[in-house]
Amino acid sequence: MRDGLRAAADVAAAHLDGVAARPVWQSMPEQVRAALLDAPLPETGRAVGELLDEAERRVLAYPMGNGHPAFFGWVNAAPHPAAVAAGLLASASNPSSAGGDHADVPLERAVVRWLAQLVGFPHEIGAGLLTSGASMATIVAIGAARHRALERAGWDVREKGLAGAPELTAYATAEAHSCVRKAIELLGIGSRALRTVPERVEKVGDAGDGPVSAGMDVEALRELIAQDRAAGRVPFLVVASAGTVNTGAIDPLDQIADVCGSPGGEGGVWLHIDGAYGAFGAVDAQMSARYAGMARADSLALDPHKWLQVPIGVGALLVADRELLRSAFSLVPPYLRDESGDALGWLSEYGIEQTRQFRALPVWASIAARGRAGVAADVAACNETARALARIVEETPDLELAAPVELSIVAFRYAPAGVAPEQVDEVNAALPAAIQERGAAFVTGSVYQGRPVLRACVLNPATREEHARLLVAEAQAAGAELLVGATAH
Ligand SMILES: *Cc1c(COP(=O)(O)O)cnc(C)c1O
């Protein structure tokens, strides 16, 4: 048993050590993919050492690429080594963090408080929980918002469901993450009830010619809510972004909070802030003022498995009202009755999962290994690299920024002079895959303001200006190649 675990630690260490020396990503050879896909169910067992060999050869050799300093894709971080190590201990300890009198439970309450303290969200003990990710945190938050709004309207949604209930409406911009709509659909509210709030568009850029969103248009939000109220509907939820996934933009949180009213205030609309990616940006002293108003939200989703570099599988929800969360979800049958006398009850009373993974230990390790100062330095390093990337993009003739850079996401496009906009769009839509294929840098794409863009996200403090230069060089080279192809037909 010890030999197996030591060998696993060696394989993991060798993997992390060697990341930067390998290509950031490469497509899997067909036979390797087939061997995994078609692996027969084994009749008999094998030694752990053999399994680790196979895992190293067939699995670890073909990673997604996050972990490499030239990885700029999606919102996926490099794992912090302290959190990787702690993950092994969490598995070995293997409690169900549903609740009870064991160490993982107070540890989860403490790290949830740490998260709140890191980003500056007011916190009473127990007012939040760790989840599988921000999508799950969003479902829990919107479930609680739905419960509160209908309870105030005299309707017990837990007992009666939604058929015949007052008609709920929710508000977010087109830049809100898809998990918001998914949650609205899943909770039976229906995406028709999710109003798209326009964004305030400003002209920026050197030539003043780029239409760029300045976040949610607060006056438009106010109007939409008033219209729905006048029509007898129940506006119950506003979702604001503290760092959009496309451009890292932060909505005007303080003004949105004014529209929603204070947490728990009668007649108030629940303000949920999606800080899955961006909430941790608040630990960078240079950025914290941009988050004014975040502390006034009813709930905040944030993802330790992104900027906090906890291995994937950990999101978090913070709420202003602990008891409200509990009343939306608590269901304690006799076989789960808590005899420990803990007044907060079980963590499973505050969300959807019953048997819960021990997520707190890797979060604890990721923060404790660095302290607040270390986390802040790492976040600031990512923001600095993103600003460097933005500067290099602006200095590079064939490239242009698609949006201003607030945090560590840079949206840009390949746009050489004299090329028709349709052709520019065609090239940019094909560019992420072309850059990925080259194997030196990894970036993904999106559509912003109706046009394809490259979007680079920096979550790894080891990603530095040299990697930003590499990405720009790769974008230029791949763009030029694609352009030749595009003009040839
Ligand atoms: C990643 C992300 C989500 C979804 O979170 P998961 O952890 O992937 O479930 C929601 N919003 C934003 C802004 C994100 O970056």
Side-chain angles (χ1 to χ4, degrees):
M1 185 264 295
R2 276 173 190 254
D3 288 349
L5 289 173
R6 288 204 177 105
D10 280 342
V11 171
H15 177 79
L16 292 174
D17 242 2
V19 158
R22 290 192 298 267
V24 53
W25 171 83
Q26 52 194 149
S27 187
M28 302 178 66
E30 230 7 89
Q31 71 273 21
V32 177
R33 189 196 319 276
L36 291 170
L37 205 55
D38 303 333
L41 170 68
E43 284 303 327
T44 55
R46 283 189 294 162
V48 175
E50 246 181 79
L51 303 183
L52 294 173
D53 274 351
E54 184 172 332
E56 191 174 16
R57 252 182 317 106
R58 284 192 174 164
V59 182
L60 271 70
Y62 301 99
M64 176 174 173
N66 51 330
H68 193 288
F71 182 89
F72 295 88
W74 299 289
V75 194
N76 296 117
H80 194 283
V84 174
L88 182 60
L89 302 193
S91 300
S93 160
N94 200 36
S96 165
S97 296
D101 189 6
H102 28 96
D104 50 300
V105 173
L107 187 67
E108 177 162 339
R109 292 195 169 121
V111 302
V112 167
R113 171 171 52 79
W114 284 9
L115 295 174
Q117 290 173 317
L118 272 176
V119 303
F121 195 77
H123 186 71
E124 61 172 334
I125 181 170
L129 77 174
L130 300 179
T131 62
S132 58
S135 297
M136 178 58 97
T138 303
I139 291 167
V140 173
I142 298 181
R146 182 185 73 162
H147 179 77
R148 183 181 84 175
L150 289 176
E151 190 174 55
R152 286 177 178 173
W155 185 274
D156 182 350
V157 68
R158 295 191 56 169
E159 187 202 338
K160 296 181 181 165
L162 282 176
E167 190 184 343
L168 299 173
T169 52
Y171 308 82
T173 69
E175 288 295 300
H177 191 275
S178 57
C179 74
V180 174
R181 177 165 163 190
K182 268 196 178 180
I184 291 276
E185 292 177 1
L186 178 69
L187 288 161
I189 296 155
S191 59
R192 197 174 56 178
L194 179 58
R195 310 278 186 249
T196 302
V197 184
E199 289 147 71
R200 220 156 37 77
V201 173
E202 287 175 354
K203 302 277 185 198
V204 300
D206 288 346
D209 55 355
V212 163
S213 167
M216 186 181 285
D217 181 333
V218 179
E219 280 318 305
L221 170 67
R222 215 186 282 275
E223 262 169 50
L224 283 170
I225 290 176
Q227 280 167 18
D228 280 323
R229 281 220 172 99
R233 294 184 276 261
V234 178
F236 85 109
L237 171 75
V238 174
V239 179
S241 299
T244 60
V245 70
N246 270 342
T247 67
I250 302 170
D251 279 324
L253 305 177
D254 218 19
Q255 294 171 47
I256 295 170
D258 287 342
V259 176
C260 293
S262 55
E266 275 310 311
V269 178
W270 185 289
L271 173 57
H272 174 71
I273 294 181
D274 182 354
Y277 151 66
F280 291 110
V283 306
D284 176 355
Q286 243 185 293
M287 289 307 303
S288 52
R290 284 291 290 114
Y291 293 80
M294 190 162 80
R296 298 169 64 193
D298 292 281
S299 55
L300 172 67
L302 63 175
D303 258 341
H305 67 198
K306 289 175 176 165
W307 221 338
L308 210 50
Q309 296 189 269
V310 177
I312 284 170
V314 190
L317 180 69
L318 303 172
V319 293
D321 186 341
R322 178 186 70 208
E323 284 313 310
L324 193 135
L325 193 60
R326 194 176 183 183
S327 73
F329 293 102
S330 176
L331 187 80
V332 186
Y335 48 83
L336 293 175
R337 200 158 295 143
D338 176 22
E339 310 295 351
S340 73
D342 183 346
L344 295 174
W346 279 33
L347 286 156
S348 55
E349 290 180 64
Y350 295 81
I352 293 163
E353 294 174 290
Q354 184 56 47
T355 302
R356 296 175 72 254
Q357 192 185 343
F358 185 7
R359 302 184 177 104
L361 202 60
V363 179
W364 168 79
S366 159
I367 300 171
R370 294 177 284 175
R372 185 205 291 267
V375 171
D378 282 350
V379 166
C382 295
N383 287 334
E384 194 184 313
T385 300
R387 284 192 293 270
L389 173 58
R391 201 181 58 240
I392 298 163
V393 164
E394 279 184 310
E395 288 165 6
T396 303
D398 295 343
L399 299 178
E400 67 182 24
L401 284 181
V405 174
E406 288 214 68
L407 297 171
S408 72
I409 293 177
V410 182
F412 63 106
R413 65 172 71 85
Y414 179 72
V419 181
E422 310 80 64
Q423 217 154 51
V424 167
D425 285 355
E426 191 185 327
V427 167
N428 281 280
L431 206 42
I435 295 171
Q436 291 166 17
E437 280 300 328
R438 297 167 64 89
F442 191 104
V443 70
T444 49
S446 188
V447 172
Y448 180 64
Q449 305 272 320
R451 301 190 64 191
V453 291
L454 294 168
R455 66 168 282 298
C457 178
V458 183
L459 293 178
N460 183 349
T463 300
R464 290 300 164 111
E465 185 165 330
E466 63 183 281
H467 306 101
R469 286 195 187 283
L470 175 65
L471 175 64
V472 163
E474 291 294 293
Q476 256 187 320
E481 255 173 48
L482 284 169
L483 190 61
V484 171
T487 43
H489 64 248

